[in-house]
DNA sequence: CTGATTTGCCTAAAGGTTTTAGGCAAATGC
DNA sequence: GCATTTGCCTAAAACCTTTAGGCAAATCAG
């Protein structure tokens, strides 16, 4: 009987692809086994359980996004950097909706602290070096930026914006303009 | 054999409570039947299927939030209204995390158009009457506000903000200050 | 009030996902 | 070449979803 050559990595990768195709919450150990033309139980030598699979996909997505973000930020500063980072998230979500949804999975604190999530926070903070903010406003701004990026991408992806009126691309551009203006002119407490 | 007195409404209500207790994606027709001490199949006279249940919970949450928002906005304008509306979302999410998650469920266009979702958009737009924005900037601003509200609430609830540093309440207040400043000083294209 | 009808919850059953336990054969190591 | 390890398999139990058909309680008609 020939072996399928399963590994945790291949399963995670395939799980991510599956997520993009059918949606993250349709990702199932069974579906994954089917995709490898293998019996379900076989996967349990490589994955602890279903939650383990989902967590691994989430971590993969966080890594991929962080890598893209690091690339995009190289050599940029100020509004240029802001736009680049924002577009990384938006583009990633459009290319990989299932992975993006996975990245939203609630991780336990241990796992979260060891994930690429911290790189994301660092990069957002790095952007703010191009603006004139000191603590604690810098942290407030990091959180606000994170909220806008995630909120916008999530609403746009979920069809939360009416498909009429101005183009969502236009809104995105104008929102980034607005954020840039806001950061350059952050109100005093 | 005494009857349990199930109705679609009671099931939806109980489903919402269940969601708040165990998380929206743990809401299951089986669990709901257990809660009413009734056999699973009995629920299928009142619910089309599992998806139907989830959709109804989502619609309930959207209604409840819209009602609270309408209440909060009555008699307020400008920053006062902005803060009130923002707090409705944040408070609702904290009190009813399961319902809030439900409200994020992707609805098919038909259902969405008939939902309280449209009231939410209208109310956000109403807030902007206190600021000096004309179309298409008004729509851009509506979308930006929606993004911030949803993004912030979602990240805070999911533990996305490090539990250290400045208090998240402080960030929330300062973010609303910042949005107010931004709306009063919306950048020209 | 009684008989007919409707309605509500039940039993039965099939199909799918999760997860554990134990087995056999392929790959690897000496 | 033989022993060990590793990888995928079969078997099986537990749980969720959904449909079909049945009986009794509630409702309605005369």
């Amino acid at each position: 009987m020939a072996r399928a050559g399963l590994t945790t990595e291949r399963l995670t990768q395939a799980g991510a692809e599956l997520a993009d195709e059918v949606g993250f919450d349709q990702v199932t150990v069974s579906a994954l086994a089917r995709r490898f033309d293998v019996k379900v139980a076989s996967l349990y030598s490589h994955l602890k359980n279903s939650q383990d699979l989902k967590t691994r996909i989430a971590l993969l997505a966080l890594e991929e996004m962080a890598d893209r973000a690091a690339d995009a930020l190289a050599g940029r500063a100020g509004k240029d950097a802001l736009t680049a980072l924002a577009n990384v998230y938006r583009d990633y979500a459009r290319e990989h909706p299932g992975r993006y949804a996975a990245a939203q999975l609630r991780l336990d604190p241990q796992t979260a602290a060891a994930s690429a999530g911290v790189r994301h926070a660092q990069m957002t903070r790095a952007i703010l070096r191009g603006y004139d903010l000191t603590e604690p406003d810098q942290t407030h701004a990091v959180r606000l930026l994170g909220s806008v990026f995630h909120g916008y991408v999530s609403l746009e992806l979920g069809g939360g914006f009416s498909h009429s009126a101005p183009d969502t691309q236009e809104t995105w551009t104008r929102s980034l303009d607005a954020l840039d203006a806001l950061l350059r002119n952050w109100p005093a407490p």
Side-chain angles (χ1 to χ4, degrees), chain A residues 62-149:
Chain A
L62 287 171
E63 288 281 353
E64 287 183 349
M65 273 194 281
D67 289 348
R68 283 196 188 194
D71 247 35
L73 285 184
R76 293 188 213 267
K79 188 181 177 188
D80 200 24
L82 175 70
T83 305
L85 183 64
N87 280 325
V88 163
Y89 293 122
R90 185 168 184 247
D91 293 345
Y92 188 82
R94 293 173 147 214
E95 287 171 41
H96 301 295
R99 284 154 146 103
Y100 186 81
Q104 251 51 63
L105 186 71
R106 216 199 184 313
L107 302 173
D108 64 284
Q110 292 243 7
T111 313
S115 76
V118 303
R119 285 169 67 202
H120 289 281
Q122 283 165 358
M123 287 187 282
T124 306
R125 196 168 290 269
I127 280 184
L128 296 179
R129 275 190 220 112
Y131 298 91
D132 196 28
L133 290 174
T134 53
E135 286 300 359
D137 284 327
Q138 205 172 78
T139 299
H140 296 322
V142 166
R143 292 174 176 172
L144 179 60
L145 287 181
S147 299
V148 175
F149 295 164

